[in-house]
Amino acid sequence: MTTEALRAMRVVEVGTAASGSYCARLLADFGADVVKIEDTAAGGDPTRRLGMPVTERDGAQGDSALFVYLNQNKRSVALDLRSERGRALARRLVLAADVVVDSGAPGGLADCGLTLEEIRHENPRAVVVSITAFGQDAPYRDRPACHLTIAALSGWLKVKPGPPEREPIDVGFPLLDYVAASVGALGAVAAWRAVRDGADGQLVDVSEQEVAVRMYLYPTIAARLGRLTGRQRPFPMYVQTSNGYVAVNALNAQHRQDAFVYMELFDEPDGLMSADAAERRAATEELQQRMDAWAADKTREEIFEVGQAMRIPVGIPYTLTEVVEEDHFRQRGFFRPLVTEAGEVLQPVGPFGPGAAREDWKDAPALGEDNAEVLERWLGTDDDSRTARSESLG
């Protein structure tokens, strides 16, 4: 896979939602020239100040880890979007792009003084990727939302394996933002290729709610069952060892048989596969105790290695620290070292496999550090503003 697959693509990112930023970063990772428009009147992208700062900017508070992660390989143009000149320059940049990534409500296009209709009229070959909670039309279009809202309204908080009376459970991370961003990036590439083949400009309208529902295995069946699957687990998923937990699964009868043999469980509790929920729950609790007793003098690493050798689906529930230290990732070249004020940290560059990510990896830009270069190369504008700190474009 070439690292310059999208080198001919010009992208302008507007808006401040993580979904749009991650979508644009994916395009940048494959070589697209991504320009991020930031509003100096608002102090730039608010994610610069969201969470622990890991960079230092001329003695001022540095950018957050989240901003650094979402905005590598991009260029920053800082404009005062409350001024006529700033909005005019933002408008020209948007209209000069092949792909425009807009996210959030009311959206970055509105801040630039543009509408979808105006883009279509003035640049009919443009691809606009819109990533919002509920899409560009229909009743929920303008309703406020966050990850929890979207998860709730797409069934994610309730449609889970387990008893139907159990309280809703969130995944604890804005996963849907990043999945929607990945869908948006794929849509951007497909639409851009279609335009290069002669098609008109495209609107890639990504609804995070619809992305969430699409991830289900047949939503209608899940709704009828009241859960994602109707499969009954033959034994608990987690076993406590001498130094932590291991996760064990059985995807078929052979897995179940091999796991029982390995754990010396030759006489399973009565009622384990009963149709009666109470009997099955009692048998599962008994089995959990027996499995934990068997594993008490073993390590999680031992059970993992032996279980894997027996082709049983076994995994270790790693902490994030253990994930970073896992040699498997290092051998695949998944992480890139990044020197920050917090010390050296590892930045994910995948998941594209060894050699697929761009080689000229660039750190996230300072606010407005690319004003002069981008405005000159994209618009032919002679502007001596180097950064937003030295001069805001008002």
Side-chain angles (χ1 to χ4, degrees):
M1 183 184 299
T2 175
T3 59
E4 298 296 326
L6 303 181
R7 64 186 179 276
M9 179 189 287
R10 279 186 169 184
V11 180
V12 165
E13 175 196 335
V14 295
T16 59
S19 55
S21 291
Y22 188 63
C23 173
R25 181 199 148 160
L26 290 174
L27 300 175
D29 287 349
F30 282 104
D33 184 6
V34 177
V35 171
K36 182 183 186 74
I37 295 180
E38 301 188 65
D39 186 3
T40 59
D45 191 317
T47 59
R48 287 185 181 271
R49 303 173 295 279
L50 187 61
M52 179 184 70
V54 295
T55 64
E56 183 176 346
R57 302 294 191 190
D58 295 342
Q61 176 176 323
D63 297 326
S64 71
L66 178 62
F67 181 86
V68 168
Y69 174 72
L70 291 174
N71 294 285
Q72 293 202 27
N73 294 324
K74 301 179 186 178
R75 298 194 284 175
S76 170
V77 169
L79 304 171
D80 183 355
L81 297 182
R82 297 180 186 176
S83 71
E84 292 185 10
R85 182 164 182 266
R87 288 163 70 91
L89 288 171
R91 179 189 183 98
R92 291 177 60 190
L93 284 173
V94 169
L95 295 176
D98 302 309
V99 175
V100 181
V101 178
D102 184 17
S103 60
L109 287 179
D111 293 337
C112 296
L114 279 167
T115 64
L116 287 173
E117 291 70 23
E118 288 175 314
I119 293 177
R120 285 171 169 167
H121 175 72
E122 299 193 35
N123 184 3
R125 292 175 57 83
V127 172
V128 177
V129 180
S130 170
I131 306 177
T132 59
F134 305 115
Q136 286 291 323
D137 48 28
Y140 285 2
R141 170 184 170 175
D142 296 319
R143 296 194 178 188
C146 63
H147 179 268
L148 184 66
T149 309
I150 298 165
L153 292 174
S154 59
W156 266 65
L157 300 189
K158 199 64 177 175
V159 184
K160 301 281 186 178
E165 67 275 8
R166 191 186 68 186
E167 71 280 3
I169 297 178
D170 189 19
V171 296
F173 176 79
L175 172 68
L176 299 177
D177 291 346
Y178 293 87
V179 177
S182 301
V183 172
L186 176 60
V189 173
W192 177 67
R193 288 296 303 270
V195 169
R196 287 167 66 89
D197 289 339
D200 293 333
Q202 308 282 319
L203 169 63
V204 180
D205 181 7
V206 180
S207 158
E208 291 194 32
Q209 183 189 33
E210 292 173 357
V211 168
V213 174
R214 183 170 179 169
M215 293 170 65
Y216 290 136
L217 175 62
Y218 301 110
T220 302
I221 295 177
R224 290 172 181 170
L225 293 174
R227 61 194 67 184
L228 287 179
T229 69
R231 178 170 56 88
Q232 303 296 334
R233 296 190 180 278
F235 48 77
M237 289 190 296
Y238 299 103
V239 181
Q240 189 168 11
T241 72
S242 62
N243 65 337
Y245 287 89
V246 290
V248 186
N249 203 350
L251 302 177
N252 53 47
Q254 188 64 55
H255 290 157
R256 180 171 175 271
Q257 177 180 330
D258 291 343
F260 276 29
V261 169
Y262 176 40
M263 297 181 182
E264 303 173 0
L265 301 171
F266 301 110
D267 55 333
E268 65 182 51
D270 294 335
L272 189 63
M273 302 301 292
S274 172
D276 183 81
E279 292 181 1
R280 189 170 62 252
R281 187 177 301 113
T284 300
E285 291 175 356
E286 177 186 343
L287 183 59
Q288 178 76 72
Q289 295 174 1
R290 292 169 60 180
M291 291 169 64
D292 288 344
W294 169 83
D297 62 348
K298 300 174 179 60
T299 66
R300 59 182 194 165
E301 291 77 16
E302 173 189 351
I303 295 177
F304 172 67
E305 293 297 340
V306 175
Q308 286 284 318
M310 295 180 65
R311 312 300 294 177
I312 303 169
V314 180
I316 298 175
Y318 281 153
T319 64
L320 289 180
T321 299
E322 290 171 328
V323 168
V324 172
E325 295 173 349
E326 172 59 67
D327 187 59
H328 171 78
F329 291 116
R330 295 179 184 271
Q331 292 193 31
R332 279 185 51 84
F334 179 75
F335 289 115
R336 165 182 175 264
L338 177 67
V339 178
T340 74
E341 293 299 312
E344 183 178 274
V345 297
L346 296 180
Q347 173 90 312
V349 299
F352 310 130
R358 62 188 296 167
E359 296 176 0
D360 60 334
W361 204 269
K362 298 185 296 184
D363 294 341
L367 178 61
E369 74 172 53
D370 303 294
N371 276 31
E373 180 182 0
V374 172
L375 295 178
E376 172 63 27
R377 292 184 58 186
W378 280 43
L379 306 181
T381 299
D382 183 13
D383 191 280
D384 60 0
S385 177
R386 302 296 175 181
T387 68
R389 291 185 301 277
S390 62
E391 179 184 347
S392 67
L393 290 177

